[in-house]
Amino acid sequence: MTAARPLALILLPFYCTPILSFLYRMLNALIAPDLVAEFGLSPAELGVITGAFFFGFGAMQLPLGVLLDRYGPRPVILTLYAVAGIGALVFIYAPSPAWLIFGRFLMGLGAAGSMMSGLKAARVWAPADRLPFVSASLFAMTGVGGMLGTAPMGLLVAEVGWRGGLVAILAYSAVLMILIAALVPSIPRPADVRWSTQFRELGKVLRSPLVWLVAPMAIASVGVNGAYLSLWAPIWLRDVAGFSQNAQEWALFAMMAATMAGMLTTGTLTQRLVRRGRNAMPVVLGGVALSLTAQTLALLEATALAWVIWPVFAFGSAAIVGLFALLARRFDPAVAGRVNTSLNSLMFAGSFAAQWGVGLIINQFPQTPDGHYSTDAHQAALLTMLSVQLLGLLWYLLRQSKMDPSKGKIAT
C-alpha cells in the first residue's frame, strides 16, 4: 500500500476503466441498424465509423506510453476521459456520417488509456509478486465491460434510444473520473528524463526484432477479434444464422464472457509456466489455433453451432494478451510501459484495418431483398481475414526459433 491509502482503493478505479472502454467500443454493434436507417450508411461507411474508434485508440498508444511514464496514470486518464466525453457529445449531435466518424475517433482517443493506465498503476503501486495476477484480472475486466455492453446495454437502448445509451455511458464516465481524482495519488515526475530521451527509447522498442516477431500475428488476431466482436459477428448471426436482435445481443454477451474467461485462463497458465521456467508461447498459439478453428466453422456456415462458434472465437483470440507479459520480461522495466503501448498501438491499427476491410469486402456484394448482407459476402470476408491471420502465424513460426519471446531478457 502507499502511505496514504490501501492498494485496493488505488486500483479500484482501474478495475472499472476497462468497462468504460468497452461500453464505448461495443455500442456500435448494438446501434448499427439505427445508424444505417437514420444516416443511410453503406457497409463500408458503417465499417469506417465503427473502425474510427480503433484508429483513435491505436493512434494514442505511442504517445500514451511516454505520457504515463512521465506524468503517471491519474492526470493522463482524467484528460483522456474528457476527450472521450467530447467525442460522445459530437456523436450524439452528429448531422452527418463525417461527424459520426470524428466522434468515434475522439471516443477511441479518450478510451485509449483505460487498460494501459491500470497496468502502469499496478507497476507503480502493486508488489512485484502480485503483478501477474493483477495484470490478468485487469484484462479480464474488459470481459465485464463487454458483457454489460451487449444485452444489458441493448435493453437500455431499446428504452431510451441510442443517444440515451450514450448519455448513460457519459454518466458512468463522470462517476469514474470522480473516483480517479479522489483515490489515485499522483506520482513524482522523473528527475532527469528528457522528452527526447523518452521518445528515443520508444524508437528502440519499435525497432526491436522481438516486437516484430510477434507483431504480425498479434495485429491480425486482435484486428479480426475487434472487427467481429465489435460489429460483424452479430451481423453474421443475423444474416447467416437467422438470429433476432435480442438473440444477437445475448450472443454478444456470451462472447464477452468467453473473452473474460480466455484472458483469465491465459494469464493463469502463462504465469504458471513462466514460474516453472517453461516456454509459455504455446498458450498463446493454442488460443490462436482455437480462434482460427471457430472462424473456419463460421466460413463453412455451421449454423447449428452458431451459439458455440463465436464464444470459442472470443475465448481463443483473447490468448493474445499473454504476449504483453512475455514481451515485457524481455525489456528493461523502465521501458516496459512503452513496450505495452507500442504493441497495443499496432494491434488497434489492425482492428481499424480489419473493421474497414470487412465492410469493404461485404460492400462488393448486393444486399438481399430484406436489406441484409448475403452469405457469399460474409464468406468472402471470413476467408480474407482467415488468410491474413494464417500469414501472421506463419511469419512467427518461421522466425520464432531465433527469438523465443518467452525466454530471457534483451536490452533496448
Side-chain angles (χ1 to χ4, degrees):
M1 67 174 64
T2 68
R5 57 185 64 91
L7 175 65
L9 283 180
I10 294 174
L11 293 182
L12 173 63
F14 296 108
Y15 277 96
C16 301
T17 54
I19 296 175
L20 179 61
S21 176
F22 263 69
L23 289 176
Y24 278 128
R25 171 178 166 175
M26 297 298 297
L27 185 66
N28 258 36
L30 298 177
I31 67 174
D34 298 312
L35 295 179
V36 170
E38 184 171 338
F39 293 92
L41 303 176
S42 69
E45 288 174 323
L46 182 61
V48 172
I49 290 168
T50 306
F53 177 91
F54 296 106
F55 186 76
F57 199 109
M60 189 62 206
Q61 293 301 307
L62 295 182
L64 175 65
V66 175
L67 293 170
L68 286 172
D69 286 342
R70 190 173 188 87
Y71 296 110
R74 184 176 185 268
V76 172
I77 196 65
L78 287 173
T79 302
L80 288 177
Y81 277 177
V83 172
I86 293 171
L89 291 173
V90 169
F91 200 86
I92 288 170
Y93 293 105
S96 68
W99 284 99
L100 291 175
I101 293 170
F102 182 54
R104 285 288 290 178
F105 174 77
L106 289 181
M107 283 187 263
L109 276 181
S114 295
M115 178 56 65
M116 296 299 112
S117 62
L119 294 179
K120 176 65 177 181
R123 188 67 179 246
V124 172
W125 290 296
D129 61 347
R130 295 176 62 184
L131 277 175
F133 174 76
V134 170
S135 298
S137 57
L138 283 168
F139 271 112
M141 292 304 292
T142 61
V144 176
M147 286 188 287
L148 291 173
T150 55
M153 179 57 72
L155 293 173
L156 178 63
V157 169
E159 291 294 325
V160 300
W162 67 265
R163 289 181 173 86
L166 258 179
V167 170
I169 294 173
L170 280 171
Y172 176 71
S173 176
V175 172
L176 193 49
M177 290 174 74
I178 293 170
L179 283 176
I180 293 168
L183 298 177
V184 180
S186 298
I187 65 170
R189 294 244 336 244
D192 297 312
V193 179
R194 299 179 179 179
W195 286 102
S196 59
T197 301
Q198 289 186 293
F199 279 101
R200 187 164 57 250
E201 291 171 345
L202 175 61
K204 290 180 180 179
V205 170
L206 288 171
R207 292 192 301 271
S208 167
L210 189 61
V211 170
W212 287 103
L213 168 66
V214 298
M217 178 175 62
I219 291 168
S221 181
V222 172
V224 175
N225 174 283
Y228 276 90
L229 264 64
S230 296
L231 180 62
W232 295 109
I235 293 177
W236 183 95
L237 289 167
R238 180 196 69 186
D239 297 344
V240 180
F243 277 35
S244 66
Q245 178 71 21
N246 183 254
Q248 292 169 50
E249 291 167 2
W250 283 109
L252 271 174
F253 184 91
M255 292 175 220
M256 292 301 105
T259 296
M260 181 174 64
M263 289 178 174
L264 285 175
T265 301
T266 298
T268 301
L269 293 177
T270 300
Q271 176 177 299
R272 187 173 300 171
L273 289 171
V274 167
R275 284 180 172 176
R276 294 176 180 176
R278 297 173 61 184
N279 184 2
M281 274 302 292
V283 176
V284 177
L285 296 176
V288 171
L290 196 62
S291 171
L292 292 173
T293 300
Q295 291 170 69
T296 301
L297 290 173
L299 176 65
L300 296 174
E301 298 183 7
T303 54
L305 299 174
W307 278 102
V308 176
I309 288 173
W310 293 107
V312 169
F313 163 77
F315 182 91
S317 56
I320 285 292
V321 302
L323 290 176
F324 286 98
L326 297 181
L327 272 183
R329 296 177 65 248
R330 299 290 303 273
F331 289 84
D332 188 285
V335 298
R338 274 159 281 180
V339 173
N340 287 337
T341 54
S342 296
L343 185 60
N344 219 27
S345 174
L346 295 170
M347 288 177 173
F348 276 88
S351 292
F352 172 76
Q355 192 80 261
W356 188 16
V358 172
L360 284 175
I361 294 167
I362 289 178
N363 202 38
Q364 304 308 307
F365 294 80
Q367 288 183 288
T368 61
D370 58 3
H372 293 178
Y373 309 125
S374 70
T375 56
D376 288 343
H378 285 288
Q379 280 188 316
L382 279 165
L383 181 59
T384 303
M385 295 300 113
L386 270 167
S387 300
V388 171
Q389 290 168 90
L390 287 171
L391 288 173
L393 179 60
L394 182 63
W395 170 272
Y396 171 80
L397 293 175
L398 291 175
R399 299 173 60 86
Q400 60 88 26
S401 61
K402 300 177 182 178
M403 298 175 290
D404 188 338
S406 68
K407 298 178 180 178
K409 178 181 284 189
I410 63 173
T412 58

